[in-house]
Amino acid sequence: MTELLNAALDRLKAMRAETELLVHALTGAVVLAVAEDARATAAINNDDTATLDAQRKTELEKNVLESAWHETRSLSNAIADRLETLQGLKGRLVTAG
């Protein structure tokens, strides 16, 4: 029984590390997307539809990356919560044994 619990804990630790890495990568991507959106917004020429289209595209990319960052951060937090719960259960099992 404890081997299964240890395996679950090890896998959750690996999953948490992987999601944290994704969170950091997405954070960087969001920062770059915000900067690109700001640049595109500053370059808008109301007489040029290309600049308007470029700004819409950068805004959409920024919004998608922000959503992905939020979802990944939520997943990482959920994994951390489950990891904490399983560690508590393991502590109870060791105490009872």
Side-chain angles (χ1 to χ4, degrees), residues 45-65:
N45 176 349
N46 290 324
D47 296 329
D48 182 8
T49 58
T51 60
L52 292 170
D53 290 341
Q55 192 278 330
R56 283 189 203 106
K57 181 182 175 192
T58 59
E59 185 176 17
L60 176 62
E61 289 172 354
K62 176 188 69 140
N63 290 338
V64 168
L65 284 169

Side-chain angles (χ1 to χ4, degrees), residues 21-88:
L21 180 63
L22 285 172
V23 166
H24 292 302
L26 285 167
T27 300
V30 167
V31 169
L32 291 174
V34 167
E36 181 61 22
D37 185 49
R39 185 207 56 78
T41 300
I44 289 177
N45 176 349
N46 290 324
D47 296 329
D48 182 8
T49 58
T51 60
L52 292 170
D53 290 341
Q55 192 278 330
R56 283 189 203 106
K57 181 182 175 192
T58 59
E59 185 176 17
L60 176 62
E61 289 172 354
K62 176 188 69 140
N63 290 338
V64 168
L65 284 169
E66 286 175 341
S67 294
W69 177 83
H70 284 290
E71 290 298 319
T72 306
R73 187 77 214 146
S74 294
L75 175 61
S76 182
N77 289 338
I79 291 170
D81 290 345
R82 298 318 177 269
L83 183 58
E84 187 177 312
T85 300
L86 283 180
Q87 286 171 334

